[in-house]
Amino acid sequence: MSYLVLARKYRPRNFTEMVGQEHVVQALTNALVQQRLHHAYLFTGTRGVGKTTVSRILAKSINCQGVDGQGGITAEPCGVCQACQDIDSGRFVDYTELDAASNRGVDEVQSLLEQAVYKPVQGRFKVFMIDEVHMLTNTAFNAMLKTLEEPPEYLKFVLATTDPQKVPVTVLSRCLQFNLRPMAPETVFEHLTQVLAQENLPAEPMALKLLSRAARGSMRDALSLTDQAIAFGSGQLQEATVRLMLGSVDRSHVMGLIDALSRADGASVVAISEGLRLNGLSAASALEDMSVVLQRMAVLQAVPSAAAESDDPDHHEMLRLSQAMPADETQLLYSLCLHGRTELGLAPDEYAALTMVLLRLLAFKPQAPKVQQALAPVAQKKTLTTAPVRPIEATAPSVVPSATPVQIRNLPIREATEPSERTMPKVLAITEEGHFWAQTVGQLVANEAVTALARELALQSQLIARDTDQWHLRIESESLNQGTARERLQAALNAQGFAVKLAVEIGKVTDSPAQRNAAALAEKQKAAENLIQSDPLVQDMIQNFGAKIVPGTIRLIS
């Protein structure tokens, strides 16, 4: 006897067996109980979430004859009558499935519609099921519109698609639409546990969790991967073998990477990344697992009470890391991991790309070296030696005194005072509207709601006045007054809750967000220079060693 794969063997035969689509099941069940049947249904959703399965169950529900042959429309098809058995086996003459991916032309659709004039032969209703309906040509869609809108009373249409955006609105408006959601890993895990219990196959919980995550919301994919894992593990599902099959990264590697990053240990980061390469583990999987752990860490940092609400075996290690890594670094690393996955395919070597993504955190990792720490080696010098001048770097600051005047160069400074309005450059004329506009634009930029030319338009413009339904902006550059940029900025403001239109004029600008940013930066630069010049150790070097600060070489890092 041939083996039947799990995805087919455990395909739901009725609504009670459906998993993870309660909202669709409830709506269809109520409609069947109340006999309020629509003539056309559209089921949307990603692959393997149950679109075709729901279609077959619906066809059985409206054609079920009952165990005694006297049944009617029901939300609980018997599964034993001739109609139910024939639909399950694919030989019910009044249920037709058309695969639009391979039958997408007008001729195939017309051939199907020609059958609509004939009443059901065996069942109560004819059911036309068109799978991947978005693949039909425009001519094919047009050919079915009239029949789809006013079919005979004995005909029901069921359409299914993974891409509803490609279905014409003329078709969408004629259908009752249901969106089948991707299934949560927890839902997939529970179902796999039940399936394997019925199959009498031993499985480690962590192995099933790996399969549940790898399925990406598709129950069919989860069952197919389980079939593959059973064969790979010789009838057993163990975490180690499933990881090897999927190319998943062991949690210990992920924890090691995050721990090394929290300690700014670049050598360990590179070593672990190289270990992933040698073991043939997936770089994308490493970033994905890191994102999962970092998300849990962020929750622990924001909600400390969640520390005692998990039975995850790695919970204690994640708790330790959440306490070792600052919250802002956790957020930054999470963002880098998410965006880094898109970069893997662009690099000639995905493991090199992985290393660069991880080292990027170290490059942007906040550090606050004190001036005293930077210049401490000088205080310990007892004698003068002749040496070439070297710039002071942030990672290994040092100053070597010499017989000639010493130049203090390229000293990065992080600490500076906040800007105040009274010390801003005179070219900036502070206004109330400027305050409001600067805050509004700051939120748009932070949320990445405006980019490119629209972002520059927002930053370089000055808000002159606000009417009820219109805001007046002024810019100096005519090149920024582009219709597309203005429309995008206006759309971003509307999404932010400001239902207004923008009117833009050309003129002198004295209070724009860009001017405020430049003024704030200038004041921070001035505060940084004052901090260096007034430092006692720097003054001591100037007086005792003839050192001098090279103008323009004090650089702000943040």
Side-chain angles (χ1 to χ4, degrees), residues 156-170:
K156 303 295 181 186
F157 280 94
V158 179
L159 312 180
T161 177
T162 55
D163 194 354
Q165 302 298 327
K166 294 182 179 179
V167 179
V169 292
T170 51

Side-chain angles (χ1 to χ4, degrees), residues 174-237:
R174 289 166 166 82
C175 300
L176 203 60
Q177 185 171 345
F178 294 93
N179 181 33
L180 280 72
R181 305 165 184 161
M183 300 182 198
E186 294 78 11
T187 302
V188 178
F189 173 80
E190 293 177 3
H191 187 64
L192 290 182
T193 302
Q194 296 174 3
V195 168
L196 293 174
Q198 296 181 48
E199 292 288 313
N200 293 320
L201 290 172
E204 293 182 359
M206 195 59 199
L208 297 187
K209 289 183 179 180
L210 290 171
L211 293 171
S212 302
R213 288 205 301 265
R216 298 288 192 277
S218 169
M219 188 63 75
R220 182 176 63 222
D221 287 5
L223 291 170
S224 298
L225 286 171
T226 303
D227 258 326
Q228 183 180 350
I230 292 171
F232 189 81
S234 299
Q236 294 186 346
L237 287 169

Side-chain angles (χ1 to χ4, degrees), residues 143-460:
M144 65 183 292
L145 284 180
K146 187 61 179 177
T147 307
L148 183 64
E149 182 176 12
E150 297 178 355
E153 60 180 8
Y154 52 79
L155 177 61
K156 303 295 181 186
F157 280 94
V158 179
L159 312 180
T161 177
T162 55
D163 194 354
Q165 302 298 327
K166 294 182 179 179
V167 179
V169 292
T170 51
V171 173
L172 296 176
S173 65
R174 289 166 166 82
C175 300
L176 203 60
Q177 185 171 345
F178 294 93
N179 181 33
L180 280 72
R181 305 165 184 161
M183 300 182 198
E186 294 78 11
T187 302
V188 178
F189 173 80
E190 293 177 3
H191 187 64
L192 290 182
T193 302
Q194 296 174 3
V195 168
L196 293 174
Q198 296 181 48
E199 292 288 313
N200 293 320
L201 290 172
E204 293 182 359
M206 195 59 199
L208 297 187
K209 289 183 179 180
L210 290 171
L211 293 171
S212 302
R213 288 205 301 265
R216 298 288 192 277
S218 169
M219 188 63 75
R220 182 176 63 222
D221 287 5
L223 291 170
S224 298
L225 286 171
T226 303
D227 258 326
Q228 183 180 350
I230 292 171
F232 189 81
S234 299
Q236 294 186 346
L237 287 169
Q238 298 177 341
E239 179 185 356
T241 56
V242 171
R243 281 191 185 278
L244 185 60
M245 182 192 79
L246 296 175
S248 301
V249 178
D250 189 276
R251 272 281 177 89
S252 62
H253 293 93
V254 172
M255 298 298 183
L257 282 171
I258 297 176
D259 181 60
L261 290 169
S262 69
R263 295 182 285 105
D265 185 356
S268 296
V269 171
V270 174
I272 296 175
S273 178
E274 185 63 21
L276 297 179
R277 179 204 300 271
L278 295 176
N279 291 320
L281 299 176
S282 170
S285 179
L287 291 177
E288 180 181 354
D289 286 351
M290 285 185 67
S291 301
V292 173
V293 173
L294 289 164
Q295 185 269 337
R296 294 285 304 279
M297 289 170 54
V299 172
L300 291 173
Q301 290 169 340
V303 188
S305 59
E309 299 175 2
S310 175
D311 56 355
D312 192 317
D314 297 316
H315 178 70
H316 292 293
E317 180 65 10
M318 283 189 284
L319 180 60
R320 184 188 70 81
L321 291 174
S322 68
Q323 296 169 348
M325 179 175 284
D328 58 344
E329 290 186 24
T330 302
Q331 295 291 339
L332 176 59
L333 183 55
Y334 178 78
S335 178
L336 290 175
C337 290
L338 286 184
H339 293 286
R341 292 180 63 189
T342 63
E343 299 177 8
L344 296 180
L346 302 176
D349 182 349
E350 68 170 4
Y351 296 99
L354 171 64
T355 304
M356 289 298 295
V357 169
L358 299 176
L359 293 181
R360 192 172 300 160
L361 176 68
L362 300 184
F364 291 103
K365 187 178 180 67
Q367 298 182 19
K370 300 292 186 181
V371 174
Q372 289 78 4
Q373 294 174 344
L375 305 178
V378 178
Q380 300 173 0
K381 295 290 182 179
K382 301 298 183 179
T383 59
L384 297 180
T385 58
T386 303
V389 177
R390 292 190 302 169
I392 297 178
E393 301 294 342
T395 54
S398 63
V399 175
V400 182
S402 66
T404 57
V406 177
Q407 295 180 334
I408 303 175
R409 307 174 61 188
N410 297 333
L411 181 61
I413 296 298
R414 294 181 176 277
E415 197 171 330
T417 58
E418 289 297 322
S420 58
E421 292 179 5
R422 60 184 175 82
T423 59
M424 288 183 178
K426 294 181 179 180
V427 294
L428 178 62
I430 298 298
T431 64
E432 279 299 321
E433 296 293 359
H435 278 307
F436 172 79
W437 184 239
Q439 293 175 358
T440 302
V441 172
Q443 292 177 355
L444 294 177
V445 173
N447 297 334
E448 297 184 355
V450 288
T451 58
L453 200 59
R455 180 177 181 272
E456 287 304 309
L457 173 61
L459 289 172
Q460 301 292 342

Side-chain angles (χ1 to χ4, degrees), residues 45 233 295 355 433 454 505 533 540 553:
Q295 185 269 337
T355 304
E433 296 293 359
E505 63 181 44
Q533 293 170 354
D540 184 63
T553 57

